[in-house]
Amino acid sequence: MESSPAKKNNVMMKVASTIVDRRNLVFLLISIAIVFSVFSRSWVHVENDLTAYLPEDSATKEGLDVMNEQFITYGSASFMVANISYDDACTLYETIKGIDGVQSVEFNNTTEHYNEASALYTVTFDYPETDKNCLDVLQAVQDALAGYDSFLSTTVIDTTAELIEKEVNMITAFVAVIVVMVLAFTTDTYADVAVVGLTFIVAAILNMGTSFLLGTISFVSNSVTTILQLALALDYAVIYSNRFKEEHRTHDLHDAVVISLSKAIPEIGASSLTTVGGLIAMMFMKFRLGPDMAINLIKAIFFSLFSVFLVMPGFLMIFGNLMEKTRHRPFVPKIPFVGRFAWVTRFIIPPIFAVVIVLAIHYSNACPYVYGYDTLTTPRENETQVAARMIRDTFSSRPILAVVVPGRDYSEEESLVKDLEAFPEVDSVTAIASIDAMDGYKLADKLSPREFAELLKLDYETAQLLYSVYAIQNTSYDKLISGIANYRVPLIDMLLYVTEKVDEGYITLEGEQAETLADAKTELLMGKRQLEGEDYDRMLVYLTLPESGDETFRFTDTVRETAQQHYPKQNVYVVGNSTNQYEFEKSFVVDNVVVSVVSILIVLVVLLFTFQSAGMPILLILVIQGAIWMNFGYPAIVHEDVFFMTELVVSSIQMGANIDYAIVIGSRYTENIKSMPRKDAIIEAMNFAFPTILTSGSILAASGVLISLITTECTINGIGEAIGRGTFISIFLVLFVLPQMLLLGDKIIAKTSFALPKVNREFSGSGAVAVDGLVVGRISGNVNGIFRGTIDGETDLRLLSGKISREDEKEQTPAEQTEPEKKEAPAAELPHGEEEDSSRHTGKRRAGRIRGRKNNGGNRE
């Protein structure tokens, strides 16, 4: 094989040579990085709560932050026991209530707790839900139910991360098998599989090992990034491998690796721009899960490029000769029938596609988006989902809103409770101001010393003494001066104060009094900690509405407005699953438009510079955007609910990734049409593009389908299903619609073409040279101007416009210059900024002369 003709002054060749020649150093550094990544992967903190990604300035997010800071949430669990009589259920209720660590158990004979021979126990533990002691109590309750057909639903044990990790590992294994099969089928050498596979493994490990640098990532990003990295970025390794095999036919192993790398870097870099552009659109989302996924996927693509450019050359040096030995005949068939079909139907398919686009837009706008998991199903269910479904299907439930208001104003709270309970949408309200205590009193009622003494059957003098000490400890000295008999204290505060003094031994209670107060103490403390914070109080509003829906969302605004009327100068918050979903809906309305527009604009800009035509990008984007509309119009037709995140994520990925299929066909067609009839050009373009589309498209589609079939997490399931379906639609459209669009629109493409200002390649040589145009350079001195004539002497010029050629050589036409068997044209012409190849001539510098006319001021020394 011939040695490399690499030019030492070529920057890309120098870079490629450095990488290949120092491959052992690269391998050493990468090996260290891989070992580090294996350990650092476990440092990643994964966020499983979608509400953590609500916009920071949203009222719901602010309310959640206030609740987390101000209130204690005790651990709780719902236990459903099926096939049990009511009497046995009551007996079991007593058993559960007596377990150490169980604070309270909700159970009664309403349909909320007993229905269809099934019992539902809502158990609250003595410990906050983050306390590990909750796990011991939970296990004790489960042991008590060991002999029953029971189902558990709780937030104390979060098995989401563990379940998702197992499912993702399973999906990755299946996808890896599919990748091997696809590569073995679509490539022409079996060793390709090893090279491409090892390159991706390095990229995936480095990407996972550096995720801890981002701090916290979402469970969605943590789950699908590696799989999508494989599907989105595998093309980069395939492109480089194909370049190498092409160069290896005429160069030795080392030079083939270097030359192919120098050519692959700009080609792969340009190819990655559309994918990155689509992902960047998610950075503009208000719902911060979008930026989270965008950053993780862009990082994954970066490490894929990093691995292809730095690590893969070393693998090619190792496996390069083996790739020659393991060559096999191409298994991917030619598809000339697709091109011929496109030619025959070029006037039929585009109008049909226009009608389909209109219908797709209509149905995609009617896509039944949901903002919670209640109506979503997955092909497989885990234990948590089974329990939640059984409880949801068997028992009636009431959505709960938490209304957070400024604290310590019980009278205002009582007034707000009455206003809220007046709404037919409200079933009941639980607040300190509404909880019944004893003898008709509520916990928030303010009692005088005499009333308190009568309630607890205390001596009046003892009650007065308690009130006096309480006033002193709370710096209410004015009450002592005005008379302690008129001092009124909320019942809950006085009861807790008495229990404190009993525990300290200052007060002694006996018999029924002591027993009543002891029983009340735990519930009082629990209620106070859950409903009273340092600065805010919380009330729980039980609704008669479904958890989600326009009616529910509107009523949450009504609740917020009602609360704000009672506290006009202070902040109030309304929080709950309903408000979370309402916030999701509000952010989705904006984010959906932003993501669509930004992704299209970014891809459009990339394609404008790629094709230097306004018509071509519009045609390509129209086809892929049509696939997106069809993808999300399908659920409306089959009445299938779609989680809102699916649209935001998948539309960006589909535009960024699937547009590459259209680019391959479009660029090849515009190249072919210069030297062959349009019919032959589209047939050859389809034959050329089909292996690439088959490789990339089948892997991405298979990845999406496997995600949807295996995962039990609704968000991830929806993303996988839409990616798989959308990729199939995109492949169909680029094969059976885009060719007709190109054939019908090639005149528009040509008329909207433009040329970017650029300098032609340098023209150097000696002898007679004909010049007609704007040139700069030296002719035994400096020249700068528009010349028309012949230069006889040594020339070293850069043509800015016009044409230049040697007088003793025939000037070639553009069509002849495109023929691969022709030598490089000895002339270069730039009419209106369009570039044609020019010859390069070398010679010794000598004095020369200019013959002809100089049209515009130049200098001659």
Side-chain angles (χ1 to χ4, degrees), residues 166-179:
K166 291 180 180 178
E167 293 168 354
V168 169
N169 290 338
M170 186 186 305
I171 295 169
T172 304
F174 279 117
V175 171
V177 173
I178 291 175
V179 168

PDB file of all heavy atoms in Angstrom, residues 166-179:
ATOM      1  N   LYS A 166     -32.571  -2.009  38.187  1.00  0.00           N
ATOM      2  CA  LYS A 166     -32.666  -3.384  37.692  1.00  0.00           C
ATOM      3  C   LYS A 166     -33.253  -3.412  36.286  1.00  0.00           C
ATOM      4  O   LYS A 166     -32.774  -4.141  35.406  1.00  0.00           O
ATOM      5  CB  LYS A 166     -33.519  -4.228  38.635  1.00  0.00           C
ATOM      6  CG  LYS A 166     -32.886  -4.491  39.994  1.00  0.00           C
ATOM      7  CD  LYS A 166     -33.809  -5.335  40.874  1.00  0.00           C
ATOM      8  CE  LYS A 166     -33.188  -5.604  42.240  1.00  0.00           C
ATOM      9  NZ  LYS A 166     -34.084  -6.379  43.123  1.00  0.00           N
ATOM     10  N   GLU A 167     -34.286  -2.619  36.073  1.00  0.00           N
ATOM     11  CA  GLU A 167     -34.933  -2.596  34.760  1.00  0.00           C
ATOM     12  C   GLU A 167     -34.012  -2.023  33.692  1.00  0.00           C
ATOM     13  O   GLU A 167     -33.944  -2.546  32.572  1.00  0.00           O
ATOM     14  CB  GLU A 167     -36.224  -1.779  34.839  1.00  0.00           C
ATOM     15  CG  GLU A 167     -37.301  -2.428  35.696  1.00  0.00           C
ATOM     16  CD  GLU A 167     -38.451  -1.507  36.015  1.00  0.00           C
ATOM     17  OE1 GLU A 167     -38.373  -0.318  35.661  1.00  0.00           O
ATOM     18  OE2 GLU A 167     -39.434  -1.964  36.636  1.00  0.00           O
ATOM     19  N   VAL A 168     -33.282  -0.968  34.025  1.00  0.00           N
ATOM     20  CA  VAL A 168     -32.373  -0.357  33.057  1.00  0.00           C
ATOM     21  C   VAL A 168     -31.245  -1.314  32.692  1.00  0.00           C
ATOM     22  O   VAL A 168     -30.842  -1.403  31.524  1.00  0.00           O
ATOM     23  CB  VAL A 168     -31.806   0.967  33.611  1.00  0.00           C
ATOM     24  CG1 VAL A 168     -30.657   1.466  32.747  1.00  0.00           C
ATOM     25  CG2 VAL A 168     -32.906   2.011  33.676  1.00  0.00           C
ATOM     26  N   ASN A 169     -30.723  -2.029  33.670  1.00  0.00           N
ATOM     27  CA  ASN A 169     -29.688  -3.026  33.372  1.00  0.00           C
ATOM     28  C   ASN A 169     -30.212  -4.088  32.413  1.00  0.00           C
ATOM     29  O   ASN A 169     -29.505  -4.533  31.501  1.00  0.00           O
ATOM     30  CB  ASN A 169     -29.204  -3.673  34.664  1.00  0.00           C
ATOM     31  CG  ASN A 169     -28.404  -2.725  35.534  1.00  0.00           C
ATOM     32  OD1 ASN A 169     -27.864  -1.731  35.054  1.00  0.00           O
ATOM     33  ND2 ASN A 169     -28.333  -2.998  36.829  1.00  0.00           N
ATOM     34  N   MET A 170     -31.455  -4.498  32.613  1.00  0.00           N
ATOM     35  CA  MET A 170     -32.057  -5.478  31.719  1.00  0.00           C
ATOM     36  C   MET A 170     -32.226  -4.909  30.311  1.00  0.00           C
ATOM     37  O   MET A 170     -31.915  -5.557  29.301  1.00  0.00           O
ATOM     38  CB  MET A 170     -33.420  -5.913  32.276  1.00  0.00           C
ATOM     39  CG  MET A 170     -34.089  -7.050  31.502  1.00  0.00           C
ATOM     40  SD  MET A 170     -35.769  -7.402  32.118  1.00  0.00           S
ATOM     41  CE  MET A 170     -35.436  -7.688  33.866  1.00  0.00           C
ATOM     42  N   ILE A 171     -32.708  -3.670  30.240  1.00  0.00           N
ATOM     43  CA  ILE A 171     -32.890  -3.023  28.934  1.00  0.00           C
ATOM     44  C   ILE A 171     -31.560  -2.873  28.222  1.00  0.00           C
ATOM     45  O   ILE A 171     -31.444  -3.148  27.017  1.00  0.00           O
ATOM     46  CB  ILE A 171     -33.554  -1.637  29.119  1.00  0.00           C
ATOM     47  CG1 ILE A 171     -34.966  -1.803  29.671  1.00  0.00           C
ATOM     48  CG2 ILE A 171     -33.606  -0.881  27.794  1.00  0.00           C
ATOM     49  CD1 ILE A 171     -35.593  -0.493  30.128  1.00  0.00           C
ATOM     50  N   THR A 172     -30.532  -2.443  28.941  1.00  0.00           N
ATOM     51  CA  THR A 172     -29.214  -2.245  28.346  1.00  0.00           C
ATOM     52  C   THR A 172     -28.674  -3.547  27.778  1.00  0.00           C
ATOM     53  O   THR A 172     -28.067  -3.568  26.695  1.00  0.00           O
ATOM     54  CB  THR A 172     -28.235  -1.675  29.387  1.00  0.00           C
ATOM     55  OG1 THR A 172     -28.769  -0.461  29.933  1.00  0.00           O
ATOM     56  CG2 THR A 172     -26.884  -1.387  28.760  1.00  0.00           C
ATOM     57  N   ALA A 173     -28.872  -4.638  28.488  1.00  0.00           N
ATOM     58  CA  ALA A 173     -28.403  -5.939  28.002  1.00  0.00           C
ATOM     59  C   ALA A 173     -29.104  -6.309  26.694  1.00  0.00           C
ATOM     60  O   ALA A 173     -28.459  -6.747  25.729  1.00  0.00           O
ATOM     61  CB  ALA A 173     -28.656  -7.012  29.060  1.00  0.00           C
ATOM     62  N   PHE A 174     -30.419  -6.114  26.641  1.00  0.00           N
ATOM     63  CA  PHE A 174     -31.158  -6.419  25.419  1.00  0.00           C
ATOM     64  C   PHE A 174     -30.719  -5.512  24.264  1.00  0.00           C
ATOM     65  O   PHE A 174     -30.549  -5.964  23.124  1.00  0.00           O
ATOM     66  CB  PHE A 174     -32.660  -6.274  25.653  1.00  0.00           C
ATOM     67  CG  PHE A 174     -33.291  -7.454  26.318  1.00  0.00           C
ATOM     68  CD1 PHE A 174     -33.884  -7.335  27.567  1.00  0.00           C
ATOM     69  CD2 PHE A 174     -33.292  -8.702  25.704  1.00  0.00           C
ATOM     70  CE1 PHE A 174     -34.468  -8.422  28.193  1.00  0.00           C
ATOM     71  CE2 PHE A 174     -33.873  -9.794  26.333  1.00  0.00           C
ATOM     72  CZ  PHE A 174     -34.462  -9.662  27.571  1.00  0.00           C
ATOM     73  N   VAL A 175     -30.553  -4.221  24.556  1.00  0.00           N
ATOM     74  CA  VAL A 175     -30.134  -3.286  23.511  1.00  0.00           C
ATOM     75  C   VAL A 175     -28.746  -3.650  22.992  1.00  0.00           C
ATOM     76  O   VAL A 175     -28.477  -3.558  21.787  1.00  0.00           O
ATOM     77  CB  VAL A 175     -30.156  -1.838  24.049  1.00  0.00           C
ATOM     78  CG1 VAL A 175     -29.517  -0.883  23.043  1.00  0.00           C
ATOM     79  CG2 VAL A 175     -31.577  -1.400  24.338  1.00  0.00           C
ATOM     80  N   ALA A 176     -27.854  -4.066  23.894  1.00  0.00           N
ATOM     81  CA  ALA A 176     -26.506  -4.459  23.478  1.00  0.00           C
ATOM     82  C   ALA A 176     -26.561  -5.622  22.493  1.00  0.00           C
ATOM     83  O   ALA A 176     -25.829  -5.645  21.490  1.00  0.00           O
ATOM     84  CB  ALA A 176     -25.668  -4.831  24.697  1.00  0.00           C
ATOM     85  N   VAL A 177     -27.414  -6.590  22.767  1.00  0.00           N
ATOM     86  CA  VAL A 177     -27.573  -7.728  21.846  1.00  0.00           C
ATOM     87  C   VAL A 177     -28.079  -7.245  20.492  1.00  0.00           C
ATOM     88  O   VAL A 177     -27.596  -7.670  19.428  1.00  0.00           O
ATOM     89  CB  VAL A 177     -28.532  -8.775  22.443  1.00  0.00           C
ATOM     90  CG1 VAL A 177     -28.835  -9.869  21.421  1.00  0.00           C
ATOM     91  CG2 VAL A 177     -27.936  -9.377  23.703  1.00  0.00           C
ATOM     92  N   ILE A 178     -29.051  -6.342  20.517  1.00  0.00           N
ATOM     93  CA  ILE A 178     -29.601  -5.818  19.265  1.00  0.00           C
ATOM     94  C   ILE A 178     -28.544  -5.049  18.485  1.00  0.00           C
ATOM     95  O   ILE A 178     -28.441  -5.163  17.257  1.00  0.00           O
ATOM     96  CB  ILE A 178     -30.824  -4.916  19.558  1.00  0.00           C
ATOM     97  CG1 ILE A 178     -31.978  -5.774  20.078  1.00  0.00           C
ATOM     98  CG2 ILE A 178     -31.248  -4.133  18.325  1.00  0.00           C
ATOM     99  CD1 ILE A 178     -33.182  -4.977  20.509  1.00  0.00           C
ATOM    100  N   VAL A 179     -27.729  -4.259  19.193  1.00  0.00           N
ATOM    101  CA  VAL A 179     -26.665  -3.498  18.530  1.00  0.00           C
ATOM    102  C   VAL A 179     -25.697  -4.430  17.826  1.00  0.00           C
ATOM    103  O   VAL A 179     -25.298  -4.201  16.674  1.00  0.00           O
ATOM    104  CB  VAL A 179     -25.928  -2.612  19.548  1.00  0.00           C
ATOM    105  CG1 VAL A 179     -24.646  -2.057  18.948  1.00  0.00           C
ATOM    106  CG2 VAL A 179     -26.830  -1.483  20.015  1.00  0.00           C
TER     107      VAL A 179
END
